[in-house]
Amino acid sequence: MRRPAQSGPGSAFDRRRFLIGAGGVGAGLVIAGCGSSTGAPPAGGETLLRNRIGPGAPLIAAAERARQTVGQRMVDVGLSPSVGPVDLGGVVVQTWSYGGQLPGKEIRLRRGDLLRAQLTNRLPAPTTVHWHGIALRNDMDGVPVLTQPEIAAGAAMRYEFTVPDPGTYWFHPHVGTQLDRGLYAPLIIEDPADGAGYDQELVVVFDDWLDGTGRTPDQVLADLKANGMGGMGGGMQMAQSAALHGDAGDVTYPHYLANGRIAAAARSFTAKPGQRVRLRMINAGGDTAFRVGVPGTPMTITHTDGYPVTPTRADAVLMGMGERIDAIITMPATPTPLLGLAEGKNGISQVLLQPGRGALPDPAAAAAALMARPVMLVNDIHAAAAVQLSSRTPDVTHDMTIAGPNPGYAWTINGEAYDPNRGLEVHQGQRVRLRFANTTTMFHPMHLHGHTFQVRGAGGMGPRKDTVIVLPHQTVEVDFDATNPGQWLTHCHNIYHGEAGMMTVVSYVA
């Protein structure tokens, strides 16, 4: 057997494809910066970047060394994305997945572990892995061109990095629309101090599904670009949601999944009545927000995107693509579904909470009961005191004006489609404020790689997150400390919006 080509720590990158300077400071052209120390950035487009701190810079290696500890545990895993059949529960589809299962096998670590993940690409196309939400070293972030070359079909790469923060995370590719196939899995980082507040744990991944049903995500994106808004040939619908203040999505999906199964063939979770169950919930969807809850059983939200919040009671919570929410529920005495309702799209996914024998509830009736209860957007929950950012005036503020769709289904940030050589400059040690201004009629879950920010709702003490919903015609401000050098993608986590241009770079520069 031919040995796969390797790329990874200590190997040579294909520099013809790796356009961003991988050395210490990337050379290039530049115009005046976008940021302003007064908090009032100048109007106009984004900076053409130079003097950037690239993924191979000494600062990236130094930041990784600072995260490591004496006696650090190393965890080795293998990933083999491939093409093959996956059973969604009586519906068998041909798709791309990790190891032929959906979701992929969970990776579970402890805070401070060193993960060594060997990916062997058995797909017919290049791929990467992005470790969503992890404040990791920049050269392991999985963004083609920006932080690494794509991993070619038949090739391999070892991802190796320290996981510094506990919480609920996940991983997926960052090449084209591969996320909207079956290439995703949970990444759980345990905190040794956790566990006192619950008896059992349930990880649930919600997803919208169309691959293998007569069209692929690539075909859907091509149709959207060809037909524009309202082009039904692209699978588009003008889904509406009062909770999302407007359009709920562009794409019609035939199936909605919870842990890889359609509602008619839902997976079950068994626990004793009255036990406390920690839910770790992940929205891996491409174009769908999920309204999540257990009819008749309130939840207490404890974490957003891995970080603790002031415990907050809710009947239902709205999850945008890429978001994670942890919550505690008390196991009901009768069989009850944990529902993920496709917001504005009339779709149901569920996991059955099974305390013992009893009649299973009708999904439609359970969905109606959940829809009758208030639903919460987590943007205004307070971060727990231990993880709040210190009070500090931002050193730089960047406006990020979200617009679209323009002709050809183009979505933009600051009037420009994604260009890895343009972006928003920051310097190591700065307090940075991003101001997401949504000028569109659709919600956008905006995701920052390599950092968590604090949402400036709730009197400036909003939740710590890496992905935040920005509602139509609203502005959301977030703050973060620039302590993880590199080149970091920032984008809408609607896969079709991002691939149609709604991405930019938060660029550390010397």
Side-chain angles (χ1 to χ4, degrees), residues 147-198:
T147 69
Q148 68 165 89
E150 295 175 335
I151 305 167
M157 174 175 172
R158 189 178 74 192
Y159 289 91
E160 183 174 320
F161 56 90
T162 300
V163 293
D165 303 306
T168 301
Y169 303 95
W170 62 303
F171 59 94
H172 60 81
H174 230 295
V175 175
T177 62
Q178 290 180 13
L179 168 62
D180 215 19
R181 296 181 187 260
L183 294 168
Y184 59 81
L187 173 60
I188 307 301
I189 304 175
E190 296 178 339
D191 187 337
D194 279 350
Y198 55 94

Side-chain angles (χ1 to χ4, degrees), residues 25-36:
V25 177
L29 300 175
V30 71
I31 57 176
C34 286
S36 165

Side-chain angles (χ1 to χ4, degrees), residues 132 168-170 172 179-180 184 203-208 244 248 253 256-257 259 280-292 305 317-325 340-343 345 349 443 445 467 469 493-494:
H132 185 116
T168 301
Y169 303 95
W170 62 303
H172 60 81
L179 168 62
D180 215 19
Y184 59 81
V203 179
V204 182
V205 184
F206 297 102
D207 189 20
D208 43 20
L244 291 172
Y253 289 85
Y256 297 95
L257 311 179
N259 285 351
R280 294 181 181 266
M281 301 178 290
I282 301 166
N283 183 352
D287 179 75
T288 304
F290 285 93
R291 181 183 298 230
V292 178
D305 293 356
V317 63
L318 205 58
M319 296 184 66
M321 298 80 80
E323 287 191 294
R324 292 91 61 215
I325 293 174
L341 306 181
E343 184 66 21
K345 296 185 178 183
S349 64
F443 79 104
T467 309
I469 289 178
H493 222 276
N494 182 311

Side-chain angles (χ1 to χ4, degrees), residues 64 66-75 109-115 134 161-167 188-192:
E64 175 66 7
R67 287 187 279 262
Q68 296 174 345
T69 58
V70 176
Q72 182 180 39
R73 189 178 73 148
M74 293 183 292
V75 178
L109 308 167
R110 295 197 297 260
R111 179 183 59 191
D113 283 349
L114 180 72
L115 175 63
I134 304 295
F161 56 90
T162 300
V163 293
D165 303 306
I188 307 301
I189 304 175
E190 296 178 339
D191 187 337

Side-chain angles (χ1 to χ4, degrees), residues 339-366:
L339 293 172
L341 306 181
E343 184 66 21
K345 296 185 178 183
N346 299 318
I348 297 175
S349 64
Q350 63 177 347
V351 171
L352 297 176
L353 305 179
Q354 184 59 266
R357 299 191 178 189
L360 299 177
D362 174 64

